Amino acid sequence: TIAIIAGGPGTGKSTLVNQIKKPLEEKGGRFVEGKFVNFHQPDVVLTAALDTFFGILFDKSRDNPKQMMLLRWRIHDAIGSGSDALLNIIPNLQKLMTMGDEHNPSSHSTRGYNTSKRRGDIGIRMKYLLVKLIGALSHRSHPLVLFLDDLQWADAMTLDVIRMIMTDPDIEHFLFIGCYRDSEVGLAHPLTSSLNDIQNQGTNVITIKLGQIEKECVNSLVSDALCLPPSLCVRLSTVVHRKTGGIVL
Protein backbone atom coordinates (compact mmCIF):
# COMPACT_ATOMS: atom_id res chain seq x y z
CA THR A 1 0.00 0.00 0.00
CA ILE A 2 1.11 3.52 -0.79
CA ALA A 3 -0.34 6.52 1.06
CA ILE A 4 -0.44 9.88 -0.69
CA ILE A 5 -1.43 13.09 1.08
CA ALA A 6 -2.42 15.99 -1.13
CA GLY A 7 -3.19 19.59 -0.21
CA GLY A 8 -2.03 23.15 -0.38
CA PRO A 9 0.86 24.68 1.57
CA GLY A 10 0.18 24.90 5.30
CA THR A 11 -2.68 22.40 5.36
CA GLY A 12 -0.82 20.12 7.76
CA LYS A 13 0.34 17.33 5.45
CA SER A 14 3.76 16.85 7.06
CA THR A 15 2.33 17.33 10.55
CA LEU A 16 -0.16 14.52 9.90
CA VAL A 17 2.62 12.18 8.76
CA ASN A 18 4.78 13.00 11.78
CA GLN A 19 2.07 11.62 14.07
CA ILE A 20 3.07 8.07 13.16
CA LYS A 21 6.71 8.45 14.23
CA LYS A 22 6.25 7.74 17.93
CA PRO A 23 3.96 4.68 17.64
CA LEU A 24 6.16 3.32 14.84
CA GLU A 25 9.29 3.67 16.97
CA GLU A 26 7.56 2.02 19.93
CA LYS A 27 6.95 -1.05 17.76
CA GLY A 28 10.56 -1.17 16.58
CA GLY A 29 9.79 0.45 13.25
CA ARG A 30 12.13 2.64 11.20
CA PHE A 31 11.38 5.97 9.56
CA VAL A 32 13.27 7.43 6.60
CA GLU A 33 12.29 10.92 5.48
CA GLY A 34 13.31 13.35 2.79
CA LYS A 35 12.01 16.55 1.27
CA PHE A 36 12.24 17.91 -2.26
CA VAL A 37 13.03 21.57 -2.77
CA ASN A 38 12.20 23.36 -6.00
CA PHE A 39 15.19 23.68 -8.35
CA HIS A 40 17.54 22.06 -5.81
CA GLN A 41 19.07 18.72 -6.90
CA PRO A 42 16.00 16.49 -6.63
CA ASP A 43 18.01 13.40 -7.60
CA VAL A 44 19.94 13.40 -4.31
CA VAL A 45 16.92 13.62 -1.98
CA LEU A 46 16.46 9.87 -1.60
CA THR A 47 20.13 9.08 -1.06
CA ALA A 48 20.47 12.04 1.34
CA ALA A 49 17.48 10.76 3.33
CA LEU A 50 19.06 7.30 3.53
CA ASP A 51 22.40 8.82 4.53
CA THR A 52 20.77 10.68 7.42
CA PHE A 53 18.95 7.51 8.45
CA PHE A 54 22.14 5.43 8.46
CA GLY A 55 23.90 8.17 10.41
CA ILE A 56 21.30 7.83 13.15
CA LEU A 57 21.59 4.04 13.05
CA PHE A 58 25.37 4.27 13.35
CA ASP A 59 25.09 6.50 16.42
CA LYS A 60 22.80 3.93 18.04
CA SER A 61 24.79 0.91 16.88
CA ARG A 62 26.66 0.45 20.16
CA ASP A 63 23.36 0.09 22.01
CA ASN A 64 22.52 -3.12 20.15
CA PRO A 65 25.55 -4.53 18.32
CA LYS A 66 23.85 -7.87 17.58
CA GLN A 67 20.96 -6.15 15.85
CA MET A 68 23.35 -4.02 13.80
CA MET A 69 25.32 -7.10 12.80
CA LEU A 70 22.17 -8.80 11.52
CA LEU A 71 21.25 -5.68 9.58
CA ARG A 72 24.72 -5.50 8.05
CA TRP A 73 24.43 -9.10 6.88
CA ARG A 74 20.98 -8.45 5.35
CA ILE A 75 22.28 -5.41 3.51
CA HIS A 76 25.38 -7.27 2.33
CA ASP A 77 23.28 -10.18 1.05
CA ALA A 78 20.91 -7.80 -0.72
CA ILE A 79 23.33 -5.53 -2.56
CA GLY A 80 26.20 -7.98 -3.01
CA SER A 81 29.04 -6.82 -5.22
CA GLY A 82 27.29 -3.52 -5.90
CA SER A 83 28.03 -2.22 -2.43
CA ASP A 84 30.82 0.12 -3.51
CA ALA A 85 28.47 2.17 -5.67
CA LEU A 86 26.09 2.72 -2.76
CA LEU A 87 28.90 3.42 -0.30
CA ASN A 88 30.08 6.25 -2.52
CA ILE A 89 26.77 8.10 -2.45
CA ILE A 90 25.68 7.08 1.07
CA PRO A 91 28.76 7.66 3.29
CA ASN A 92 27.01 6.70 6.53
CA LEU A 93 26.12 3.34 5.02
CA GLN A 94 29.83 2.81 4.52
CA LYS A 95 30.48 3.68 8.17
CA LEU A 96 27.86 1.17 9.27
CA MET A 97 29.01 -1.61 6.95
CA THR A 98 32.70 -1.25 7.89
CA MET A 99 32.15 -0.56 11.58
CA GLY A 100 34.81 -2.24 13.70
CA ASP A 101 36.37 -4.00 10.72
CA GLU A 102 39.25 -2.10 9.21
CA HIS A 103 40.05 -5.12 7.03
CA ASN A 104 36.56 -5.47 5.55
CA PRO A 105 37.01 -6.01 1.80
CA SER A 106 34.08 -3.71 1.11
CA SER A 107 35.79 -0.90 2.99
CA HIS A 108 37.10 1.43 0.31
CA SER A 109 38.03 5.04 0.77
CA THR A 110 35.76 7.53 -0.92
CA ARG A 111 38.53 10.10 -0.84
CA GLY A 112 38.60 11.92 -4.12
CA TYR A 113 35.06 10.89 -4.97
CA ASN A 114 33.38 13.47 -7.16
CA THR A 115 30.07 14.31 -5.47
CA SER A 116 28.85 15.93 -8.67
CA LYS A 117 28.18 12.41 -9.90
CA ARG A 118 25.17 12.41 -7.61
CA ARG A 119 23.53 15.02 -9.76
CA GLY A 120 23.33 12.91 -12.89
CA ASP A 121 21.25 9.91 -13.84
CA ILE A 122 22.49 7.15 -11.54
CA GLY A 123 21.26 4.54 -13.97
CA ILE A 124 19.31 1.33 -13.91
CA ARG A 125 21.91 -0.50 -11.80
CA MET A 126 21.86 2.09 -9.05
CA LYS A 127 18.06 2.17 -8.97
CA TYR A 128 18.08 -1.60 -8.62
CA LEU A 129 20.54 -1.39 -5.71
CA LEU A 130 18.45 1.25 -3.94
CA VAL A 131 15.40 -1.00 -4.21
CA LYS A 132 17.36 -3.93 -2.78
CA LEU A 133 18.65 -1.72 0.04
CA ILE A 134 15.10 -0.71 0.99
CA GLY A 135 14.12 -4.37 0.94
CA ALA A 136 16.97 -5.21 3.33
CA LEU A 137 15.83 -2.50 5.75
CA SER A 138 12.21 -3.71 5.74
CA HIS A 139 11.75 -6.56 8.19
CA ARG A 140 8.91 -8.02 10.19
CA SER A 141 10.53 -6.99 13.47
CA HIS A 142 11.49 -3.58 12.04
CA PRO A 143 8.86 -2.36 9.56
CA LEU A 144 10.01 0.56 7.45
CA VAL A 145 8.25 3.78 6.48
CA LEU A 146 9.73 5.94 3.72
CA PHE A 147 8.31 9.46 3.65
CA LEU A 148 9.09 11.91 0.86
CA ASP A 149 7.62 15.40 1.03
CA ASP A 150 6.82 17.81 -1.83
CA LEU A 151 6.67 15.12 -4.50
CA GLN A 152 5.52 17.69 -7.04
CA TRP A 153 9.24 18.50 -7.43
CA ALA A 154 10.46 14.90 -7.55
CA ASP A 155 12.72 13.81 -10.39
CA ALA A 156 12.09 10.93 -12.78
CA MET A 157 14.76 8.73 -11.15
CA THR A 158 13.19 8.91 -7.68
CA LEU A 159 9.69 8.32 -9.04
CA ASP A 160 10.97 5.25 -10.86
CA VAL A 161 12.66 3.94 -7.71
CA ILE A 162 9.38 4.35 -5.82
CA ARG A 163 7.55 2.45 -8.56
CA MET A 164 10.13 -0.35 -8.46
CA ILE A 165 9.89 -0.61 -4.67
CA MET A 166 6.11 -0.69 -4.61
CA THR A 167 5.86 -3.34 -7.33
CA ASP A 168 8.63 -5.60 -5.98
CA PRO A 169 6.91 -8.74 -4.59
CA ASP A 170 9.87 -9.49 -2.32
CA ILE A 171 9.54 -6.27 -0.30
CA GLU A 172 7.28 -6.64 2.73
CA HIS A 173 6.65 -4.73 5.97
CA PHE A 174 7.11 -1.47 4.10
CA LEU A 175 4.97 1.64 3.66
CA PHE A 176 5.63 4.57 1.39
CA ILE A 177 4.07 7.93 2.26
CA GLY A 178 4.26 10.89 -0.07
CA CYS A 179 2.98 14.44 0.15
CA TYR A 180 2.43 16.89 -2.67
CA ARG A 181 0.76 20.20 -3.43
CA ASP A 182 -2.31 19.30 -5.45
CA SER A 183 -2.45 22.77 -7.00
CA GLU A 184 0.83 21.99 -8.79
CA VAL A 185 0.06 18.45 -9.98
CA GLY A 186 -2.25 17.97 -12.96
CA LEU A 187 -3.14 15.01 -15.15
CA ALA A 188 -0.02 15.48 -17.28
CA HIS A 189 2.37 15.72 -14.31
CA PRO A 190 5.01 12.93 -14.00
CA LEU A 191 3.81 12.18 -10.46
CA THR A 192 0.29 11.46 -11.72
CA SER A 193 1.63 9.11 -14.38
CA SER A 194 3.85 7.34 -11.85
CA LEU A 195 1.02 6.81 -9.36
CA ASN A 196 -1.23 5.51 -12.15
CA ASP A 197 1.49 3.05 -13.21
CA ILE A 198 1.89 1.82 -9.63
CA GLN A 199 -1.85 1.37 -9.23
CA ASN A 200 -2.18 -0.40 -12.59
CA GLN A 201 0.43 -2.92 -11.44
CA GLY A 202 -1.77 -3.95 -8.52
CA THR A 203 -0.58 -1.73 -5.68
CA ASN A 204 -3.24 -0.10 -3.54
CA VAL A 205 -2.87 3.70 -3.61
CA ILE A 206 -4.69 5.59 -0.86
CA THR A 207 -5.05 9.34 -1.38
CA ILE A 208 -5.88 11.66 1.50
CA LYS A 209 -6.79 15.23 0.62
CA LEU A 210 -6.34 18.04 3.13
CA GLY A 211 -7.73 21.51 2.63
CA GLN A 212 -9.10 24.55 4.34
CA ILE A 213 -11.05 24.06 7.55
CA GLU A 214 -14.51 25.53 7.96
CA LYS A 215 -15.41 28.52 10.14
CA GLU A 216 -17.11 26.24 12.66
CA CYS A 217 -13.91 24.25 13.12
CA VAL A 218 -11.89 27.43 13.60
CA ASN A 219 -14.39 28.58 16.18
CA SER A 220 -14.03 25.29 18.05
CA LEU A 221 -10.25 25.61 18.03
CA VAL A 222 -10.37 29.19 19.31
CA SER A 223 -12.91 28.18 21.94
CA ASP A 224 -10.68 25.35 23.18
CA ALA A 225 -7.57 27.54 23.15
CA LEU A 226 -9.20 30.34 25.14
CA CYS A 227 -11.31 28.08 27.37
CA LEU A 228 -14.41 30.09 26.47
CA PRO A 229 -17.85 29.05 25.24
CA PRO A 230 -18.04 28.84 21.42
CA SER A 231 -20.73 31.51 21.34
CA LEU A 232 -18.29 34.07 22.76
CA CYS A 233 -15.61 33.28 20.17
CA VAL A 234 -17.58 33.71 16.95
CA ARG A 235 -16.36 37.22 16.15
CA LEU A 236 -12.72 36.40 16.85
CA SER A 237 -12.80 33.08 14.98
CA THR A 238 -14.42 34.79 11.99
CA VAL A 239 -11.51 37.22 11.83
CA VAL A 240 -9.00 34.38 12.23
CA HIS A 241 -10.65 32.39 9.45
CA ARG A 242 -10.73 35.39 7.12
CA LYS A 243 -7.05 36.24 7.71
CA THR A 244 -5.78 32.65 7.45
CA GLY A 245 -8.13 31.41 4.74
CA GLY A 246 -8.82 28.37 6.88
CA ILE A 247 -5.22 27.15 6.55
CA VAL A 248 -4.16 25.38 9.72
CA LEU A 249 -0.44 26.17 9.78
mmCIF file of all heavy atoms in Angstrom, residues 103-136:
data_model
loop_
_atom_site.group_PDB
_atom_site.id
_atom_site.type_symbol
_atom_site.label_atom_id
_atom_site.label_comp_id
_atom_site.label_asym_id
_atom_site.label_seq_id
_atom_site.Cartn_x
_atom_site.Cartn_y
_atom_site.Cartn_z
ATOM 1 N N HIS A 103 39.586 -4.260 8.114
ATOM 2 C CA HIS A 103 40.051 -5.123 7.034
ATOM 3 C C HIS A 103 38.894 -5.645 6.189
ATOM 4 O O HIS A 103 39.073 -6.566 5.400
ATOM 5 C CB HIS A 103 40.834 -6.306 7.611
ATOM 6 C CG HIS A 103 41.979 -5.884 8.487
ATOM 7 N ND1 HIS A 103 43.103 -5.256 7.974
ATOM 8 C CD2 HIS A 103 42.162 -5.967 9.833
ATOM 9 C CE1 HIS A 103 43.944 -4.994 8.966
ATOM 10 N NE2 HIS A 103 43.390 -5.402 10.098
ATOM 11 N N ASN A 104 37.720 -5.059 6.358
ATOM 12 C CA ASN A 104 36.564 -5.466 5.555
ATOM 13 C C ASN A 104 36.857 -5.204 4.093
ATOM 14 O O ASN A 104 37.223 -4.095 3.722
ATOM 15 C CB ASN A 104 35.328 -4.664 6.003
ATOM 16 C CG ASN A 104 34.052 -5.220 5.401
ATOM 17 O OD1 ASN A 104 33.977 -5.510 4.210
ATOM 18 N ND2 ASN A 104 33.046 -5.361 6.262
ATOM 19 N N PRO A 105 36.691 -6.215 3.207
ATOM 20 C CA PRO A 105 37.007 -6.008 1.797
ATOM 21 C C PRO A 105 36.125 -4.989 1.126
ATOM 22 O O PRO A 105 36.485 -4.450 0.085
ATOM 23 C CB PRO A 105 36.797 -7.409 1.188
ATOM 24 C CG PRO A 105 35.902 -8.124 2.148
ATOM 25 C CD PRO A 105 36.276 -7.600 3.491
ATOM 26 N N SER A 106 34.960 -4.708 1.720
ATOM 27 C CA SER A 106 34.080 -3.711 1.115
ATOM 28 C C SER A 106 34.399 -2.307 1.588
ATOM 29 O O SER A 106 33.740 -1.350 1.229
ATOM 30 C CB SER A 106 32.610 -4.033 1.442
ATOM 31 O OG SER A 106 32.378 -3.904 2.822
ATOM 32 N N SER A 107 35.423 -2.208 2.456
ATOM 33 C CA SER A 107 35.793 -0.900 2.986
ATOM 34 C C SER A 107 36.775 -0.222 2.036
ATOM 35 O O SER A 107 37.959 -0.538 2.018
ATOM 36 C CB SER A 107 36.438 -1.063 4.370
ATOM 37 O OG SER A 107 36.880 0.174 4.840
ATOM 38 N N HIS A 108 36.276 0.693 1.246
ATOM 39 C CA HIS A 108 37.103 1.429 0.307
ATOM 40 C C HIS A 108 36.976 2.907 0.594
ATOM 41 O O HIS A 108 35.885 3.401 0.848
ATOM 42 C CB HIS A 108 36.681 1.148 -1.134
ATOM 43 C CG HIS A 108 36.843 -0.293 -1.531
ATOM 44 N ND1 HIS A 108 38.066 -0.895 -1.670
ATOM 45 C CD2 HIS A 108 35.912 -1.249 -1.798
ATOM 46 C CE1 HIS A 108 37.895 -2.165 -2.039
ATOM 47 N NE2 HIS A 108 36.607 -2.399 -2.117
ATOM 48 N N SER A 109 38.054 3.606 0.507
ATOM 49 C CA SER A 109 38.034 5.036 0.769
ATOM 50 C C SER A 109 37.281 5.761 -0.332
ATOM 51 O O SER A 109 37.411 5.431 -1.504
ATOM 52 C CB SER A 109 39.460 5.576 0.850
ATOM 53 O OG SER A 109 39.434 6.988 0.938
ATOM 54 N N THR A 110 36.466 6.712 0.058
ATOM 55 C CA THR A 110 35.762 7.530 -0.919
ATOM 56 C C THR A 110 36.514 8.824 -1.147
ATOM 57 O O THR A 110 35.998 9.753 -1.755
ATOM 58 C CB THR A 110 34.333 7.856 -0.422
ATOM 59 O OG1 THR A 110 34.430 8.514 0.831
ATOM 60 C CG2 THR A 110 33.517 6.594 -0.272
ATOM 61 N N ARG A 111 37.735 8.902 -0.658
ATOM 62 C CA ARG A 111 38.527 10.103 -0.842
ATOM 63 C C ARG A 111 38.709 10.362 -2.338
ATOM 64 O O ARG A 111 39.041 9.475 -3.110
ATOM 65 C CB ARG A 111 39.884 9.932 -0.179
ATOM 66 C CG ARG A 111 40.701 11.216 -0.149
ATOM 67 C CD ARG A 111 41.970 10.981 0.618
ATOM 68 N NE ARG A 111 41.684 10.518 1.979
ATOM 69 C CZ ARG A 111 42.625 10.064 2.799
ATOM 70 N NH1 ARG A 111 43.879 9.979 2.401
ATOM 71 N NH2 ARG A 111 42.291 9.663 4.013
ATOM 72 N N GLY A 112 38.474 11.588 -2.713
ATOM 73 C CA GLY A 112 38.595 11.923 -4.116
ATOM 74 C C GLY A 112 37.347 11.653 -4.913
ATOM 75 O O GLY A 112 37.298 11.885 -6.114
ATOM 76 N N TYR A 113 36.314 11.153 -4.268
ATOM 77 C CA TYR A 113 35.057 10.888 -4.972
ATOM 78 C C TYR A 113 34.408 12.193 -5.388
ATOM 79 O O TYR A 113 34.283 13.128 -4.611
ATOM 80 C CB TYR A 113 34.116 10.099 -4.052
ATOM 81 C CG TYR A 113 32.749 9.886 -4.651
ATOM 82 C CD1 TYR A 113 32.580 9.032 -5.728
ATOM 83 C CD2 TYR A 113 31.643 10.546 -4.127
ATOM 84 C CE1 TYR A 113 31.330 8.834 -6.273
ATOM 85 C CE2 TYR A 113 30.397 10.354 -4.671
ATOM 86 C CZ TYR A 113 30.255 9.494 -5.742
ATOM 87 O OH TYR A 113 29.013 9.315 -6.276
ATOM 88 N N ASN A 114 33.986 12.258 -6.613
ATOM 89 C CA ASN A 114 33.378 13.468 -7.156
ATOM 90 C C ASN A 114 31.890 13.482 -6.850
ATOM 91 O O ASN A 114 31.117 12.746 -7.448
ATOM 92 C CB ASN A 114 33.597 13.503 -8.677
ATOM 93 C CG ASN A 114 33.061 14.785 -9.292
ATOM 94 O OD1 ASN A 114 32.575 15.656 -8.583
ATOM 95 N ND2 ASN A 114 33.151 14.883 -10.598
ATOM 96 N N THR A 115 31.475 14.296 -5.869
ATOM 97 C CA THR A 115 30.070 14.312 -5.473
ATOM 98 C C THR A 115 29.161 14.831 -6.557
ATOM 99 O O THR A 115 27.953 14.651 -6.484
ATOM 100 C CB THR A 115 29.885 15.188 -4.208
ATOM 101 O OG1 THR A 115 30.389 16.500 -4.482
ATOM 102 C CG2 THR A 115 30.620 14.596 -3.030
ATOM 103 N N SER A 116 29.706 15.460 -7.589
ATOM 104 C CA SER A 116 28.848 15.934 -8.669
ATOM 105 C C SER A 116 28.212 14.777 -9.418
ATOM 106 O O SER A 116 27.217 14.942 -10.115
ATOM 107 C CB SER A 116 29.647 16.807 -9.642
ATOM 108 O OG SER A 116 30.649 16.038 -10.287
ATOM 109 N N LYS A 117 28.773 13.573 -9.260
ATOM 110 C CA LYS A 117 28.178 12.414 -9.896
ATOM 111 C C LYS A 117 26.771 12.159 -9.371
ATOM 112 O O LYS A 117 25.954 11.542 -10.022
ATOM 113 C CB LYS A 117 29.042 11.172 -9.642
ATOM 114 C CG LYS A 117 30.388 11.208 -10.367
ATOM 115 C CD LYS A 117 31.166 9.933 -10.075
ATOM 116 C CE LYS A 117 32.514 9.944 -10.764
ATOM 117 N NZ LYS A 117 33.284 8.721 -10.463
ATOM 118 N N ARG A 118 26.497 12.615 -8.179
ATOM 119 C CA ARG A 118 25.174 12.407 -7.609
ATOM 120 C C ARG A 118 24.101 13.158 -8.392
ATOM 121 O O ARG A 118 22.928 12.831 -8.324
ATOM 122 C CB ARG A 118 25.138 12.878 -6.162
ATOM 123 C CG ARG A 118 26.167 12.206 -5.273
ATOM 124 C CD ARG A 118 26.039 12.741 -3.863
ATOM 125 N NE ARG A 118 27.122 12.279 -3.022
ATOM 126 C CZ ARG A 118 27.242 12.620 -1.756
ATOM 127 N NH1 ARG A 118 26.357 13.403 -1.199
ATOM 128 N NH2 ARG A 118 28.244 12.188 -1.029
ATOM 129 N N ARG A 119 24.504 14.158 -9.126
ATOM 130 C CA ARG A 119 23.530 15.016 -9.764
ATOM 131 C C ARG A 119 23.032 14.436 -11.085
ATOM 132 O O ARG A 119 22.043 14.876 -11.628
ATOM 133 C CB ARG A 119 24.140 16.405 -10.001
ATOM 134 C CG ARG A 119 24.607 17.086 -8.742
ATOM 135 C CD ARG A 119 25.101 18.471 -8.997
ATOM 136 N NE ARG A 119 24.049 19.317 -9.519
ATOM 137 C CZ ARG A 119 24.230 20.599 -9.809
ATOM 138 N NH1 ARG A 119 25.407 21.150 -9.657
ATOM 139 N NH2 ARG A 119 23.240 21.318 -10.270
ATOM 140 N N GLY A 120 23.732 13.470 -11.624
ATOM 141 C CA GLY A 120 23.327 12.913 -12.894
ATOM 142 C C GLY A 120 22.405 11.720 -12.732
ATOM 143 O O GLY A 120 22.010 11.325 -11.631
ATOM 144 N N ASP A 121 22.072 11.121 -13.847
ATOM 145 C CA ASP A 121 21.253 9.915 -13.836
ATOM 146 C C ASP A 121 22.093 8.776 -13.288
ATOM 147 O O ASP A 121 23.104 8.389 -13.871
ATOM 148 C CB ASP A 121 20.792 9.621 -15.266
ATOM 149 C CG ASP A 121 19.930 8.373 -15.340
ATOM 150 O OD1 ASP A 121 19.594 7.837 -14.272
ATOM 151 O OD2 ASP A 121 19.606 7.950 -16.468
ATOM 152 N N ILE A 122 21.682 8.194 -12.161
ATOM 153 C CA ILE A 122 22.490 7.150 -11.538
ATOM 154 C C ILE A 122 22.282 5.801 -12.203
ATOM 155 O O ILE A 122 22.961 4.844 -11.854
ATOM 156 C CB ILE A 122 22.203 7.068 -10.029
ATOM 157 C CG1 ILE A 122 20.752 6.696 -9.772
ATOM 158 C CG2 ILE A 122 22.559 8.342 -9.340
ATOM 159 C CD1 ILE A 122 20.455 6.461 -8.317
ATOM 160 N N GLY A 123 21.363 5.723 -13.143
ATOM 161 C CA GLY A 123 21.261 4.539 -13.973
ATOM 162 C C GLY A 123 20.440 3.413 -13.394
ATOM 163 O O GLY A 123 20.094 3.388 -12.214
ATOM 164 N N ILE A 124 20.153 2.466 -14.266
ATOM 165 C CA ILE A 124 19.307 1.330 -13.907
ATOM 166 C C ILE A 124 19.931 0.515 -12.776
ATOM 167 O O ILE A 124 19.242 0.083 -11.851
ATOM 168 C CB ILE A 124 19.063 0.443 -15.134
ATOM 169 C CG1 ILE A 124 18.286 1.217 -16.192
ATOM 170 C CG2 ILE A 124 18.312 -0.823 -14.745
ATOM 171 C CD1 ILE A 124 18.104 0.477 -17.494
ATOM 172 N N ARG A 125 21.231 0.303 -12.828
ATOM 173 C CA ARG A 125 21.911 -0.497 -11.803
ATOM 174 C C ARG A 125 21.771 0.132 -10.433
ATOM 175 O O ARG A 125 21.472 -0.550 -9.437
ATOM 176 C CB ARG A 125 23.394 -0.644 -12.175
ATOM 177 C CG ARG A 125 24.265 -1.342 -11.131
ATOM 178 C CD ARG A 125 23.848 -2.762 -10.898
ATOM 179 N NE ARG A 125 24.746 -3.454 -9.977
ATOM 180 C CZ ARG A 125 24.471 -4.625 -9.426
ATOM 181 N NH1 ARG A 125 23.336 -5.234 -9.703
ATOM 182 N NH2 ARG A 125 25.337 -5.185 -8.595
ATOM 183 N N MET A 126 21.951 1.436 -10.343
ATOM 184 C CA MET A 126 21.857 2.093 -9.053
ATOM 185 C C MET A 126 20.423 2.067 -8.522
ATOM 186 O O MET A 126 20.204 1.884 -7.320
ATOM 187 C CB MET A 126 22.373 3.534 -9.149
ATOM 188 C CG MET A 126 22.406 4.259 -7.814
ATOM 189 S SD MET A 126 23.434 3.402 -6.595
ATOM 190 C CE MET A 126 25.051 3.639 -7.311
ATOM 191 N N LYS A 127 19.457 2.245 -9.408
ATOM 192 C CA LYS A 127 18.062 2.165 -8.974
ATOM 193 C C LYS A 127 17.750 0.772 -8.422
ATOM 194 O O LYS A 127 17.064 0.634 -7.400
ATOM 195 C CB LYS A 127 17.128 2.518 -10.139
ATOM 196 C CG LYS A 127 17.155 3.989 -10.505
ATOM 197 C CD LYS A 127 16.087 4.366 -11.512
ATOM 198 C CE LYS A 127 16.415 3.894 -12.900
ATOM 199 N NZ LYS A 127 15.472 4.439 -13.904
ATOM 200 N N TYR A 128 18.267 -0.225 -9.078
ATOM 201 C CA TYR A 128 18.084 -1.603 -8.616
ATOM 202 C C TYR A 128 18.675 -1.792 -7.221
ATOM 203 O O TYR A 128 18.059 -2.411 -6.336
ATOM 204 C CB TYR A 128 18.727 -2.556 -9.618
ATOM 205 C CG TYR A 128 18.800 -3.996 -9.166
ATOM 206 C CD1 TYR A 128 17.704 -4.844 -9.297
ATOM 207 C CD2 TYR A 128 19.983 -4.501 -8.607
ATOM 208 C CE1 TYR A 128 17.775 -6.165 -8.888
ATOM 209 C CE2 TYR A 128 20.059 -5.825 -8.192
ATOM 210 C CZ TYR A 128 18.954 -6.656 -8.338
ATOM 211 O OH TYR A 128 19.029 -7.958 -7.923
ATOM 212 N N LEU A 129 19.882 -1.253 -7.010
ATOM 213 C CA LEU A 129 20.538 -1.389 -5.711
ATOM 214 C C LEU A 129 19.775 -0.652 -4.607
ATOM 215 O O LEU A 129 19.680 -1.132 -3.481
ATOM 216 C CB LEU A 129 21.972 -0.862 -5.796
ATOM 217 C CG LEU A 129 22.950 -1.708 -6.615
ATOM 218 C CD1 LEU A 129 24.275 -0.974 -6.772
ATOM 219 C CD2 LEU A 129 23.158 -3.074 -5.983
ATOM 220 N N LEU A 130 19.234 0.513 -4.930
ATOM 221 C CA LEU A 130 18.447 1.253 -3.938
ATOM 222 C C LEU A 130 17.202 0.468 -3.538
ATOM 223 O O LEU A 130 16.820 0.441 -2.360
ATOM 224 C CB LEU A 130 18.055 2.622 -4.497
ATOM 225 C CG LEU A 130 19.176 3.663 -4.561
ATOM 226 C CD1 LEU A 130 18.733 4.879 -5.367
ATOM 227 C CD2 LEU A 130 19.607 4.092 -3.160
ATOM 228 N N VAL A 131 16.574 -0.176 -4.507
ATOM 229 C CA VAL A 131 15.400 -0.999 -4.206
ATOM 230 C C VAL A 131 15.788 -2.156 -3.289
ATOM 231 O O VAL A 131 15.091 -2.457 -2.312
ATOM 232 C CB VAL A 131 14.763 -1.530 -5.510
ATOM 233 C CG1 VAL A 131 13.656 -2.537 -5.200
ATOM 234 C CG2 VAL A 131 14.193 -0.381 -6.332
ATOM 235 N N LYS A 132 16.902 -2.814 -3.599
ATOM 236 C CA LYS A 132 17.357 -3.929 -2.778
ATOM 237 C C LYS A 132 17.733 -3.461 -1.367
ATOM 238 O O LYS A 132 17.528 -4.176 -0.384
ATOM 239 C CB LYS A 132 18.549 -4.622 -3.439
ATOM 240 C CG LYS A 132 18.180 -5.362 -4.712
ATOM 241 C CD LYS A 132 17.081 -6.386 -4.454
ATOM 242 C CE LYS A 132 16.665 -7.126 -5.702
ATOM 243 N NZ LYS A 132 15.552 -8.080 -5.431
ATOM 244 N N LEU A 133 18.298 -2.265 -1.268
ATOM 245 C CA LEU A 133 18.649 -1.716 0.040
ATOM 246 C C LEU A 133 17.395 -1.483 0.886
ATOM 247 O O LEU A 133 17.369 -1.821 2.072
ATOM 248 C CB LEU A 133 19.421 -0.412 -0.138
ATOM 249 C CG LEU A 133 19.850 0.311 1.138
ATOM 250 C CD1 LEU A 133 20.772 -0.557 1.979
ATOM 251 C CD2 LEU A 133 20.539 1.637 0.807
ATOM 252 N N ILE A 134 16.365 -0.919 0.272
ATOM 253 C CA ILE A 134 15.102 -0.712 0.985
ATOM 254 C C ILE A 134 14.521 -2.052 1.438
ATOM 255 O O ILE A 134 14.022 -2.189 2.558
ATOM 256 C CB ILE A 134 14.091 0.026 0.087
ATOM 257 C CG1 ILE A 134 14.546 1.467 -0.170
ATOM 258 C CG2 ILE A 134 12.694 0.002 0.710
ATOM 259 C CD1 ILE A 134 14.558 2.344 1.061
ATOM 260 N N GLY A 135 14.617 -3.050 0.574
ATOM 261 C CA GLY A 135 14.122 -4.371 0.935
ATOM 262 C C GLY A 135 14.858 -4.961 2.127
ATOM 263 O O GLY A 135 14.261 -5.628 2.976
ATOM 264 N N ALA A 136 16.176 -4.707 2.204
ATOM 265 C CA ALA A 136 16.966 -5.210 3.327
ATOM 266 C C ALA A 136 16.600 -4.512 4.634
ATOM 267 O O ALA A 136 16.686 -5.109 5.712
ATOM 268 C CB ALA A 136 18.455 -5.028 3.032
#
